[in-house]
Amino acid sequence: MKMLAYLAHGLAAALLLTSGPVAARPAPPAANVATPALWRVQDADTTLYLFGTVHVMKPGVDWFRGGVKAAFDGSDELVLEIIEPDDPNVMGGVMMSRAMAQDGVALSDRLTPEAREKYRAAMAANGLPVPAFDRMNPWMAGMALAVAPLAKMGYQADLGAEKILRSAAVKAGKRVEALETVEQQIDFFATLPMEQQVAFLNATVDGLPEMETEFAALLRHWHAGDPEKLGKSMNGSLEATPELAQVLLIGRNASWAQWIKARMATPGTIFVAVGAGHLAGKGSVQDQLKTLGIKARRIKE
């Protein structure tokens, strides 16, 4: 379930690990230089860069450099998936307003006996209270479990690419916009049919033992600028969970491609930064653009 793991860890981190803007940091040692992939869409008077991000990162990765930095510096505007509220309590309030179950069914009772046992063990291992989450819908527990292990593994939210880019944009006086609202992103999970919410939770629980290894592998592909390998890692679970993939990935990619097509009608230079999983594999943003007759060209270092 690598694709579900990537979506869970990436999107949950973006929504749950909010810490506001970050200060500029000195460049880390050059020994850990990353060269993530970058694409360009261009016409006579508009240039749009497509950059795949990771929402959490370990210290010492030097990625905001070279072609990525040059493209960002030359852009008038930064576009992110969402603009996080500076106050984390705002995000928490929105999430909790949608997290509580309205039908009176305990979360544990929605699971099979085997899944329930694994879920409770996972919650205990990550210090999450089962009784409190029993009042919530499964998607919320899935997101909490996706995020809980990250800090232990050394990943930090304030090193996430979006936070670094937004901080740099604000400092440079660039306009910052978003493709989606916080409420929209939360509702991608909160409005899933209950069957899919349970599938999402079970997939997250099942993926926890391999989380560190698989997440690290996905990040290595990102560091190396290898979306092909990233996409291959994701394709199996796309086929195994087509309903979830459609809601959390492919449908959003199609919507963003339509936004890009419309935005190309306005002159300027735009740097669009979205989760790297959206720019790799079947149904990627680039694939969706191709169906609209728009070519996204890879920029090599």
Side-chain angles (χ1 to χ4, degrees):
M1 293 292 184
K2 292 182 183 179
M3 182 61 210
L4 282 177
Y6 187 91
L7 288 169
H9 303 316
L11 190 50
L15 290 171
L16 292 177
L17 296 179
T18 58
S19 59
V22 297
R25 295 171 176 267
N32 198 5
V33 170
T35 55
L38 180 70
W39 291 263
R40 179 172 55 217
V41 178
Q42 195 168 35
D43 63 19
D45 55 9
T46 307
T47 298
L48 186 145
Y49 295 101
L50 271 176
F51 177 64
T53 66
V54 289
H55 304 300
V56 294
M57 213 175 298
K58 291 183 178 180
V61 180
D62 185 8
W63 63 269
F64 195 27
R65 58 182 297 283
V68 172
K69 182 70 161 55
F72 174 85
D73 287 345
S75 297
D76 312 310
E77 178 182 342
L78 171 66
V79 177
L80 303 171
E81 289 187 34
I82 60 170
I83 297 176
E84 297 176 5
D86 292 340
D87 181 358
N89 293 324
V90 173
M91 185 84 81
V94 174
M95 294 193 75
M96 291 309 298
S97 71
R98 289 158 168 78
M100 304 307 293
Q102 302 299 312
D103 58 6
V105 178
L107 190 159
S108 296
D109 291 339
R110 301 186 194 274
L111 307 177
T112 66
E114 180 183 2
R116 185 184 308 128
E117 182 178 351
K118 292 167 66 175
Y119 161 70
R120 287 175 171 169
M123 295 289 277
N126 286 283
L128 297 171
V130 169
F133 279 87
D134 254 354
R135 300 194 300 270
M136 300 182 192
N137 288 311
W139 69 268
M140 186 65 189
M143 293 186 76
L145 280 170
V147 164
L150 292 174
K152 293 187 223 176
M153 297 177 190
Y155 293 101
Q156 298 179 18
D158 65 349
L159 296 178
E162 289 89 349
K163 291 186 182 293
I164 302 302
L165 290 167
R166 183 183 173 193
S167 178
V170 170
K171 183 177 180 181
K174 297 181 188 291
R175 183 177 180 180
V176 181
E177 292 190 358
L179 294 166
E180 298 167 348
T181 66
V182 169
E183 291 80 5
Q184 281 177 307
Q185 283 214 345
I186 292 171
D187 281 345
F188 288 128
F189 290 94
T191 60
L192 286 171
M194 191 56 65
E195 181 180 355
Q196 292 182 29
Q197 290 192 38
V198 170
F200 171 73
L201 173 57
N202 288 338
T204 303
V205 170
D206 290 342
L208 287 175
E210 291 79 37
M211 175 181 169
E212 185 165 14
T213 299
E214 293 190 350
F215 196 56
L218 289 168
L219 290 178
R220 280 198 303 274
H221 300 327
W222 179 82
H223 287 183
D226 197 338
E228 289 78 15
K229 287 184 179 178
L230 181 60
K232 286 178 181 178
S233 294
M234 293 158 51
N235 284 342
S237 54
L238 277 174
E239 295 168 0
T241 56
E243 298 89 356
L244 279 172
Q246 182 62 39
V247 173
L248 300 179
L249 187 77
I250 298 172
R252 297 167 69 205
N253 292 349
S255 176
W256 296 350
Q258 290 286 353
W259 182 93
I260 289 169
K261 179 180 179 180
R263 183 60 183 81
M264 294 300 292
T266 303
T269 304
I270 312 100
F271 192 95
V272 177
V274 298
H278 293 280
L279 304 182
K282 297 178 182 177
S284 66
V285 173
Q286 298 94 314
D287 282 352
Q288 305 288 351
L289 286 171
K290 191 180 299 183
T291 67
L292 300 175
I294 299 172
K295 175 72 173 179
R297 300 183 184 278
R298 176 78 183 270
I299 301 173
K300 296 291 188 178
E301 284 286 332

